[in-house]
Amino acid sequence: VLRQVAGFMEPILREAEMTLALDIPVDLPQIRGDSGQLTQVFGNLIDNATKYGAIKPDPKTPDGGGTIRVGVAIAPDANFTRPGLVVSVADDGPGIPREHLPRLTERFYRVDKGRARAVGGTGLGLAIVKHVISRHRGRLVIDSIEGVGTTCLVWLPLAPEPARGLQDGQMTVARKG
Ligand code: ATP
Ligand code: MG
């Protein structure tokens, strides 16, 4: 999904003079999910990084430039109880003032109204992202430092491992004591 999204974002990235650095380790464990919905999730996060995460305007590249880093790693959930994968989408743009962070996933919430209007969009992206991730029993964390950049972390649980030593169709019985 990430490679596909990176592929169809290419023209938009080129237009914005931004670089996408995709770092996907080989042999990652599987997660199970709706690939269409997850395409929307990562499509929106990379779209946001392109629209709002460009480095500060400079005379040579007005409003463009910068690097978006997309990475994947094996990581437990916040309680260290479930194994999963964490996907990070990080830009080195202007960032988001701290007071806005808790409201970003509200429907129609946009930080800079004037700028948001100029780049188009509706303010629904992150609301959909949050909804899809929670349907996948995952977690979304958005963190940002003004003048440094914004990082969005999507944690998704690993697909349950098939029980070892069992044939398809066999069942395990949990015994108490
Ligand atoms: P849509 O996704 O519907 O096209 P949108 O991008 O404005 O519209 P969201 O994706 O929900 O809506 O994002 C909400 C707001 O959060 C954006 O309008 C922008 O102000 C802010 N934002 C999101 N991502 C970033 C980012 N990487 N850097 C700075 N601001 C961001
Ligand atoms: Mg968006």
Side-chain angles (χ1 to χ4, degrees), residues 52-144:
Y52 313 109
I55 54 173
K56 285 181 212 96
D58 101 32
K60 222 170 73 230
T61 57
D63 236 19
T67 305
I68 303 167
R69 286 176 202 289
V70 178
V72 190
I74 299 171
D77 67 342
N79 305 318
F80 295 98
T81 54
R82 290 187 299 164
L85 290 184
V86 65
V87 179
S88 56
V89 178
D91 65 59
D92 49 7
I96 303 166
R98 196 138 274 284
E99 63 269 23
H100 292 285
L101 294 179
R103 300 196 58 191
L104 290 180
T105 56
E106 287 175 22
R107 282 183 290 167
F108 306 115
Y109 192 85
R110 311 186 81 181
V111 174
D112 178 345
K113 304 283 185 293
R115 165 143 179 73
R117 228 188 328 272
V119 297
T122 53
L124 282 172
L126 287 175
I128 295 168
V129 165
K130 192 184 175 178
H131 178 76
V132 169
I133 293 170
S134 84
R135 285 196 48 180
H136 284 76
R137 301 182 186 287
R139 287 244 304 165
L140 169 70
V141 177
I142 303 171
D143 206 0
S144 191

Side-chain angles (χ1 to χ4, degrees), residues 166 171-177:
L166 287 177
M171 285 184 8
T172 43
V173 179
R175 236 175 297 173
K176 277 191 180 160

